[in-house]
Amino acid sequence: MPNRKATAIACSNIAFIKYWGNRDDALRLPANPSLSLNLGDLYTTTTVAFDKGLEKDEVTIDDRPADEATRARVSGHLDLVRQRAGHHTAGRVVSRNNFPAGAGIASSASGFAALTVAACAAAGLELAEAELSALARRGSGSASRSVPGGYTEWVMGKGNATSFARSVAPPDHWGLRDVVVIVSREHKVVGSSRGHGLAVGSRLHMSRVAAAPAMLAACKRALLARDLEAMGTLIEQDAVMMHAVMMTSRPPLYYWLPATMAVIKAAQGWRAAGLPVYFTIDAGPNVHLICEAARATEVETRARGLPGVLDVLVSRPGGAARLVEEHLF
Ligand code: PMV
């Protein structure tokens, strides 16, 4: 195989119906289906070069060598691509997030989606979108949803090849905004890979998982009908249900801070006063406020005025992961 390199860009995403818990941890087969929106303004650009001159995989993230645990996780993902392509050449991975490091925005979804698309192209593999999504899933479950564009659904599937995400509506279907309210920049103590494994320890988990397909179907209907009130009610319910599972796991995971609750309370107050905005929260303390484009500046200004808010980022819907460059060297 000649030395070849490729660069890809992939957006982060915010889940409306969350993925939490696996039915197979090794393959990252989810306990429930999930639905999300790609975030076009928060993305990762990754270059992968398979180079016969290298002895082992090298990984640089945001201009710094990755720590050994991250390097090993990325290297494990490159192994999946190499196995599929039938070669053993080591790779150099250079990845950059356009959002500030420590902004509390998880980079695993955009990171593993961009890594998958770049590594497959650099290995000379031509895979269909569903295959790329299923492969990205192995690096980080939510990365499967950053491969297709716009509003995407990760179907549970029956096994490795059938558990992938697909687009349910393009980015321009609905001009929603995600107003990300940052109340902490600290690195989370328990990452989501470990958190998924703890979910089964909560008695609430099975109840959430049993309800998830119907929640997703209702949320998708509201999304396709552009009904923010119906969709917003469901996304808040699911986010709180996921955090209830986290808080009742053993050991419990409390990701919320007092400022998290303060943003929730404020959003409820704004809504009661006529501003349509709904919250969701990932595995961390920061709050994502979902609203229509016309109200985003108002939501952002109000959020900036809340005590304990460190920063606010606003994102539009985003497209599919894409290859931007590919060549031999
Ligand atoms: O892809 P992971 O393993 O980082 O899990 C993501 C989990 C949540 O962000 C909490 C929910 C989701 O569906 O994105």
Side-chain angles (χ1 to χ4, degrees), residues 67-207:
D67 59 58
E68 181 48 30
T70 306
R71 196 204 65 82
R73 186 168 169 190
V74 169
S75 189
H77 199 63
L78 292 182
D79 285 341
L80 296 175
V81 174
R82 283 186 284 246
Q83 266 163 29
R84 202 147 173 163
H87 77 79
H88 305 283
T89 312
R92 185 180 302 106
V93 175
V94 177
S95 188
R96 258 186 213 97
N97 300 309
N98 83 326
F99 40 91
I105 309 285
S107 55
S108 65
S110 51
F112 277 100
L115 178 71
T116 303
V117 173
C120 285
L125 284 173
E126 281 182 32
L127 302 186
E129 183 183 89
E131 292 176 296
L132 288 168
S133 171
L135 194 50
R137 189 201 79 234
R138 303 283 301 275
S140 167
S142 56
S144 65
R145 299 189 309 245
S146 281
V147 171
Y151 296 83
T152 78
E153 175 181 9
W154 172 11
V155 295
M156 287 172 63
K158 289 199 163 49
N160 183 37
T162 49
S163 186
F164 55 80
R166 58 188 179 211
S167 181
V168 296
D172 62 2
H173 163 69
W174 192 5
L176 289 183
R177 295 292 180 270
D178 181 5
V179 180
V180 192
V181 185
I182 295 168
V183 299
S184 169
R185 294 193 172 102
E186 305 226 329
H187 201 72
K188 49 191 167 206
V189 185
V190 178
S192 47
S193 293
R194 218 181 122 224
H196 291 296
L198 296 176
V200 286
S202 164
R203 278 186 281 143
L204 303 180
H205 177 59
M206 283 328 290
S207 155

Side-chain angles (χ1 to χ4, degrees), residues 12-20 30 32-39 141-142 144-146 148-156 164-170 173-174 176 208 212-225 227 230-232 234-236 238-239 242 280-282 290:
S12 176
N13 69 68
I14 180 68
F16 293 159
I17 299 297
K18 308 288 189 188
Y19 149 56
W20 195 247
N32 67 277
S34 54
L35 183 72
S36 64
L37 166 62
N38 279 358
L39 301 175
S142 56
S144 65
R145 299 189 309 245
S146 281
Y151 296 83
T152 78
E153 175 181 9
W154 172 11
V155 295
M156 287 172 63
F164 55 80
R166 58 188 179 211
S167 181
V168 296
H173 163 69
W174 192 5
L176 289 183
R208 175 176 177 272
M215 290 277 287
L216 189 143
C219 192
K220 191 159 79 174
R221 269 198 306 278
L223 165 62
L224 294 175
D227 181 344
M231 192 183 84
L234 291 162
I235 71 173
E236 289 192 351
D238 187 58
M242 179 185 74
T280 183
I281 305 167
D282 278 344
I290 308 297

